[in-house]
Amino acid sequence: MMVPTMADMMAQGKQPEVLFWVGAAGSYDDRAKKISRAFVKILHQAKVDFAVLGTEESSTGDAAKRAGNEFLFQMQAMMNIEVLNGYEVKKIVTCDPHSFNTLKNEYPGLGGKYEVFHHTQFIQNLIKEGRLKIDDTTLKGKRVTFHDPCYLGRANDVYESPRELIKRLGVNLTEMKRNKSTALCCGAGGAQMFKDAEKGDKEINVLRTEDALETKPNIIATGCPYCNTMMTDGIKFKEKEAEVVVKDIAELIAEANKL
Amino acid sequence: MQYLPNIIFALALAFGLGFFVMNIRKLIRNINLGKDVNRKDKKPERLKNMIKIALGQSKMVKRPLSGFLHIIVYVGFIIINIEVLEIIIDGLFGSHRIFQEVLGDGFYAFLIGFFEILAALVFVAVVIFWLRRNVSNIKRFLSKEMKGWPKKDGNNILYFEMVLMTLFLVMNATDVHFQQAGIGNPISQFITPLFDGFSAEGLHTIERTCWWIHILGILVFLNYLYYSKHLHILLAFPNTYFANLNAKGQFTNLDSVTTEVKLMMDPDADPYAAPPEGEEEAIPEKFGASDVADLSWVQLMNAYTCTECGRCTSVCPANLTGKELSPRKIMMDTRDRLEEVGRNIDANKGVFVDDGKQLLNDYISPEELWACTSCNACVEECPVNIDPLSIIMDMRRYLVMEESAAPQELNMMMTNIENNGAPWQYNQQDRLNWANEE
């Protein structure tokens, strides 16, 4: 798969239209890597001139910051900003709402000012500009419910971009009882992804999966690699793997367009 | 002797208001124990928020039943204060229903009639609130932190309101002239028959008694506010005005850390440099918060504004799955500790004397703090824009940066970020491998 790096681009004296910030999950997590690849296929189909940092990318520091380690966060932020500013990056797109939030809201105060998009916003713009079309026949008739990632939804008030893309797939979008600003967290945020939960009577991802299953979906759509992991685990816990799949919106679009 | 009631009234009023002002000054002093944070910007946006959220109750009505009932009590509370103004003037000058002369019979009848209807509606709403708190099994009113005083406090407020509304209506019902005029008494006319057997003198005594208890009750209630969760009726306004306007996902970047990090990353910095002259003895700034004085004044105002409705806790994913964390308890603990610090200052002639306690551990446990997913559901839900998450984050910062007391798994995650630039133990050189796997 053709994934140019900023270093390649610079060597050729080129400046891409947008930097794809892959994020740690999108780079290393087996499930999330598929999302990265699906998104790259979409970028290729829409002929977007993009590049990644590759081995020069490092953790945004989001997880460290939410865990309370402001030192580590700012070290990461300053290093990344140095790299990004070195390449004169103006526009960034990412499939990870945590990277999206941190780059968009927390980097400017430390000297990193970029125009940052979540991939659902970016794809929506591609459609508006006529650079991409979504085939609404492949997935026609499927029941889809969308789980709002906290760091996209409540944290940044982005509720409509993912939903508009889902509607373009020709599927039936059914909302959970807790949705948009009242959506329940998947349980991964605030660095919870990297530790066991405190003592309680249930796992948060199981509770959220129950919300989703109430809508009797064929597909649970997500827009965050961590939500994806949590919901996938929830579906396994509920032994519903045969009936329900968890897919990122980028994967659904790639599938619809047979990429 | 004929001026005795006026004098007693004036004294009661002065004492009631004076005590209230004294407590409010204490409240402001306590809030100012917090660190400074600039909330003087974007005035139009702040004003708009206050009008929409505090005055307009826009977030209350997201839960329609309690929102609707709350609006009745709220509107009743504000509008019936016009009647209180009349009572104060009457009390000070010995007049009787002074507004009737000033405003004319027709308009006065309309006003008092409207107040009576409001009073009756408030009474009904308050009874429903009482039933919700004491009879229905509404989970957020039954949480652990709502046992004891918080439960009593909630009920006390409802009893106060029931009694005040009853006194207002009985006062009107036993006012013979008022009833004979037969205007502005849409509710009290149905109470009058209960007093059929009474002499004119007896009725007058009841009317006067109700009048006195009503106004004294209001003064007592005013002073009860400071000791109660009910302070929200005042603080909801500044609290929504000064609330955070940035994206909810944007956490503050600690300036004290920025300075240190810049120094660490500066290749020209001299690691053995002596501190600048005059700063040799300076105590380095504490990272994060372990006690109330480490929080900002906005966070402390948040704590006093909280009315313990528990909407935050009822949407908290950690709380919903049985964890110790309750965002409401975070706010209640912060306020209780702040009150304790305030009493300490009062007892020690204006200086805080170390009491060996702090907000962390003595009130809020690390277990509660680590259960938070930082999902912002509590912040979104609060009808008056309180931000429990910011307190949780500041306390996590203290645990990690001052105490190195993060859960072991998080320490491993952070070590990985430091060493490999990712929360997992993967090689940085493998970061682009995903592009060629399929």
Side-chain angles (χ1 to χ4, degrees), chain B residues 263 269-281:
Chain B
L263 200 64
D270 173 9
Y272 305 107
E277 207 148 315
E279 283 178 34
E280 294 91 342
E281 299 295 312

Side-chain angles (χ1 to χ4, degrees), chain A residues 36-256:
Chain A
S36 305
R37 285 194 291 266
F39 182 56
V40 166
K41 287 175 192 165
I42 297 168
L43 291 176
H44 280 312
Q45 190 184 29
K47 300 194 170 57
V48 176
D49 178 23
F50 75 99
V52 299
L53 285 173
T55 55
E56 289 184 277
E57 189 185 293
S58 189
S59 160
T60 56
D62 158 78
K65 187 178 182 88
R66 317 286 136 185
N69 197 336
E70 182 71 7
F71 262 108
L72 182 51
F73 161 72
Q74 291 202 13
M75 297 270 287
Q76 289 296 123
M78 303 250 194
M79 282 187 326
N80 285 324
I81 289 168
E82 230 173 76
V83 173
L84 290 167
N85 289 355
Y87 283 122
E88 294 178 18
V89 170
K90 301 275 180 298
K91 213 172 180 183
I92 302 178
V93 61
T94 176
C95 303
D96 172 8
H98 296 267
S99 296
F100 168 72
N101 176 69
T102 303
L103 292 166
K104 182 176 193 282
N105 297 319
E106 289 163 358
Y107 275 30
L110 300 169
K113 297 187 174 71
Y114 320 103
E115 206 184 344
V116 187
F117 298 89
H118 184 247
H119 66 316
T120 57
Q121 295 175 313
F122 192 80
I123 296 173
Q124 208 193 357
N125 286 345
L126 292 178
I127 293 169
K128 269 188 210 150
E129 292 160 8
R131 298 166 71 183
L132 183 77
K133 276 200 173 69
I134 297 181
D135 182 345
D136 62 359
T137 57
T138 322
L139 294 169
K140 199 165 190 71
K142 297 264 189 206
R143 280 175 71 84
V144 177
T145 191
F146 176 65
H147 163 74
D148 288 274
C150 302
Y151 275 85
L152 186 64
R154 272 189 297 272
N156 286 291
D157 293 316
V158 180
Y159 300 112
E160 293 311 321
S161 306
R163 286 181 170 76
E164 281 178 23
L165 292 182
I166 291 171
K167 284 177 197 156
R168 282 179 188 275
L169 290 164
V171 298
N172 299 326
L173 174 64
T174 53
E175 294 288 353
M176 297 183 228
K177 64 175 192 284
R178 294 185 258 226
N179 65 70
K180 297 183 184 168
S181 67
T182 61
L184 184 75
C185 173
C186 71
Q192 298 293 340
M193 181 74 189
F194 308 102
K195 63 183 260 299
D196 283 327
E198 274 58 34
K199 195 166 61 58
D201 47 38
K202 202 176 211 169
E203 292 291 340
I204 295 171
N205 67 325
V206 172
L207 184 62
R208 187 50 171 167
T209 304
E210 287 167 358
D211 280 3
L213 289 177
E214 273 178 30
T215 69
K216 309 236 175 302
N218 306 113
I219 299 166
I220 298 173
T222 59
C224 167
Y226 299 100
C227 295
N228 193 306
T229 302
M230 296 309 254
M231 298 306 279
T232 305
D233 286 351
I235 290 295
K236 279 186 199 145
F237 181 84
K238 289 275 165 189
E239 298 179 345
K240 294 279 180 196
E241 300 112 298
E243 298 123 81
V244 188
V245 290
V246 181
K247 287 267 171 83
D248 191 273
I249 291 174
E251 292 178 294
L252 293 174
I253 293 172
E255 194 181 326

Side-chain angles (χ1 to χ4, degrees), chain A residues 1-29:
Chain A
M1 181 180 273
M2 258 296 292
V3 182
T5 63
M6 288 301 288
D8 298 340
M9 285 278 184
M10 199 176 205
Q12 298 165 32
K14 283 196 249 170
Q15 180 71 17
E17 174 188 344
V18 66
L19 171 81
F20 171 29
W21 185 274
V22 187
S27 305
Y28 293 120
D29 180 84

Side-chain angles (χ1 to χ4, degrees), chain B residues 153-223:
Chain B
D153 184 22
N155 281 334
N156 286 347
I157 293 159
L158 298 176
Y159 299 142
F160 254 117
E161 280 161 4
M162 284 183 218
V163 170
L164 288 176
M165 293 305 119
T166 308
L167 287 167
F168 172 67
L169 290 172
V170 172
M171 175 183 95
N172 283 356
T174 51
D175 187 330
V176 179
H177 291 292
F178 180 69
Q179 289 300 331
Q180 274 167 357
I183 49 167
N185 59 347
I187 305 292
S188 61
Q189 58 179 298
F190 300 105
I191 305 173
T192 307
L194 297 176
F195 299 93
D196 263 354
F198 286 80
S199 64
E201 204 157 308
L203 284 176
H204 182 69
T205 311
I206 295 170
E207 192 266 340
R208 284 291 87 192
T209 311
C210 287
W211 188 93
W212 274 100
I213 302 176
H214 182 241
I215 187 64
L216 293 176
I218 285 171
L219 289 173
V220 172
F221 193 43
L222 181 71
N223 281 288

Side-chain angles (χ1 to χ4, degrees), chain B residues 367-381:
Chain B
E367 184 182 340
E368 293 165 62
L369 299 172
W370 291 118
C372 174
T373 68
S374 74
C375 76
N376 263 307
C378 56
V379 184
E380 176 81 35
E381 195 68 17

Side-chain angles (χ1 to χ4, degrees), chain B residues 8 51 53 63 70-71 85 100 111 170 187 206 229 234 245 247 292-293 303 365 371 390 394-395 406 429 437:
Chain B
I8 294 173
I51 290 169
I53 299 165
R63 299 201 185 180
H70 186 267
I71 284 186
L85 185 67
Q100 190 165 7
L111 267 187
V170 172
I187 305 292
I206 295 170
K229 75 187 189 83
L234 304 173
L245 296 177
V292 285
S365 69
S390 67
D394 283 346
M395 295 184 76
Q429 291 310 311
E437 297 166 6

